[in-house]
Structures are given as C-alpha cells and as structure tokens.
Amino acid sequence: MAPIRKDTVPQGPAEVTAQRLRERGERVTPARLAVVEVLAGTDEHLSAEQIGERAEQLRPGIHRATVYRALDALGEFGLVTHVHLGRAGTTYHLSGELAPRHLHLRCSECGKVLDAPGDTLDPTRRKLQRDLGFKLAPEQVALVGICADCAG
C-alpha cells in the first residue's frame, strides 16, 4: 500500500483556516478555530452572539469579545463574511475556499432566509462592471422578496 501524501488528504475548514493563517503569519487561536468550527457545523444563518454562544460550548473559557475579534479577523482574511438581513440583523458564514459562493434571499413576509447559487446575478454583475465600472457585491446583502410558501 502506498503511503498517503499529506497534500492529498482532504482538509476540513478548521485545517484550511489554520493553514491559511500560518501562511499569512497570523496566529492560529482557539477562538478563530472555534468560530470556523461553529460555522462549518451549521446551515443556519447565525448572528455574532449565536456564534459566541456555540463557540463557548465547543471551547469552554472562550470569552464572547474574543469571538467577535475572531470574526473580524477572519473577515479581513477572507475566510468568513457577513450578510445584512435587514430587520433580522447581520449573520455570518464561511467564505472563500471554505464554502461555495452563494446569495441570500429573505422573505419579507415570514423572514425566512434562503440560499441561492452564487452565480445567479453574474450577468447583472458583469453588466454593471462593463457599463458603470461598478463592482457589485451581492453576497453582502439579502435580496428581499416573498418566498414560495408565503406567495401561496
């Protein structure tokens, strides 16, 4: 049996995060890894407070303020991003190579948040760039409308 090469072993989000942080000369902290583990372990759209609660459960002793700083740092490194959901607040999720690019759709009737493929608005994105020189970043906001359940 041939030995397993390290570069062919699949890596999870926490391992990829640790590797990316080391490559940048950044610290790999328990709070940063806990944030990534929380986000990797759910399909929910979590607020910073919810991430903090779950991170404390994973790694007792992590202070909530440390989790908020970890969210900010991971955002700067392109590993976590946030989306503004209007009245529902701001939620966070993995981004970059840690998660597929996607858009958020929020129902104005029931508040449900749905994910849509990240390339859905690519024609609009290209047109705005070409015609106006504007670089659209729809991943940062929720598109508002009415979901199929509420539309009846």
Side-chain angles (χ1 to χ4, degrees):
M1 183 192 284
I4 297 174
R5 291 180 33 198
K6 188 172 183 168
D7 61 345
T8 61
V9 176
Q11 292 185 322
E15 291 84 9
V16 171
T17 298
Q19 182 178 343
R20 294 299 167 260
L21 291 173
R22 286 186 193 103
E23 287 170 359
R24 296 176 65 100
E26 297 291 339
R27 293 178 34 234
V28 178
T29 67
R32 290 175 179 180
L33 294 178
V35 165
V36 170
E37 289 171 16
V38 166
L39 292 173
T42 186
D43 289 330
E44 296 175 81
H45 297 88
L46 300 176
S47 68
E49 184 175 328
Q50 291 168 315
I51 293 167
E53 290 169 1
R54 293 182 188 191
E56 281 183 306
Q57 291 171 354
L58 276 178
R59 305 242 168 99
I62 291 178
H63 192 274
R64 194 89 31 105
T66 306
V67 170
Y68 296 156
R69 286 192 300 275
L71 279 168
D72 287 341
L74 292 168
E76 288 177 27
F77 307 144
L79 299 169
V80 169
T81 191
H82 63 278
V83 62
H84 302 284
L85 297 175
R87 293 185 307 253
T90 300
T91 64
Y92 295 81
H93 55 87
L94 298 177
S95 65
E97 65 190 285
L98 298 180
R101 185 171 67 110
H102 64 280
L103 306 177
H104 298 88
L105 312 174
R106 183 177 59 82
C107 179
S108 60
E109 297 292 320
C110 69
K112 182 179 359 181
V113 177
L114 305 167
D115 290 339
D119 62 356
T120 302
L121 293 178
D122 280 356
T124 302
R125 187 189 307 247
R126 285 190 298 273
K127 181 169 178 42
L128 290 171
Q129 175 69 37
R130 182 184 65 244
D131 296 353
L132 303 173
F134 186 81
K135 294 183 84 168
L136 183 66
E139 296 88 357
Q140 299 266 318
V141 297
L143 302 170
V144 179
I146 299 175
C147 72
D149 292 338
C150 292

